[in-house]
């Protein structure tokens, strides 16, 4: 018998998903978490990704500011 996450199934049905697709999605997520508990992102994973993205964005902004300042200072 296939295991299913009832809360996910109920949420998908409430959102208007067809019953067969909601059931299959809930079963797939349940199976993924059983075979590999680390297959889904945790809040800590998302926070780490957010921090990494923020670091790269700030670095790109600093590089752009430096580049534009150099153009303004040296001309062309």
């Amino acid at each position: 018998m296939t295991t299913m996450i009832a809360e996910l199934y109920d949420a998908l049905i409430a959102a208007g998903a067809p019953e067969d697709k909601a059931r299959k999605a809930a079963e797939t997520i349940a199976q993924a978490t059983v075979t590999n508990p680390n297959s889904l992102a945790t809040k800590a994973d998302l926070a780490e990704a957010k921090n990494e993205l923020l670091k790269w964005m700030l670095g790109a902004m600093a590089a752009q500011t430096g580049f534009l300042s150099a153009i303004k200072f040296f001309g062309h």
Side-chain angles (χ1 to χ4, degrees), residues 34-50:
V34 169
T35 56
N36 185 3
N38 297 321
S39 64
L40 300 175
T42 64
K43 286 184 180 181
D45 294 333
L46 295 176
E48 183 180 342
K50 176 184 167 187

Side-chain angles (χ1 to χ4, degrees), residues 1 7 12-13 15-16 21 24 27 33 35 37 39-40 43-44 47 51 60 62 65 68 70:
M1 180 170 191
E7 293 85 1
L12 291 170
I13 293 295
K21 290 186 179 188
K24 182 65 176 169
E27 289 172 354
T33 57
T35 56
S39 64
L40 300 175
K43 286 184 180 181
N51 290 336
T65 301
L68 293 174

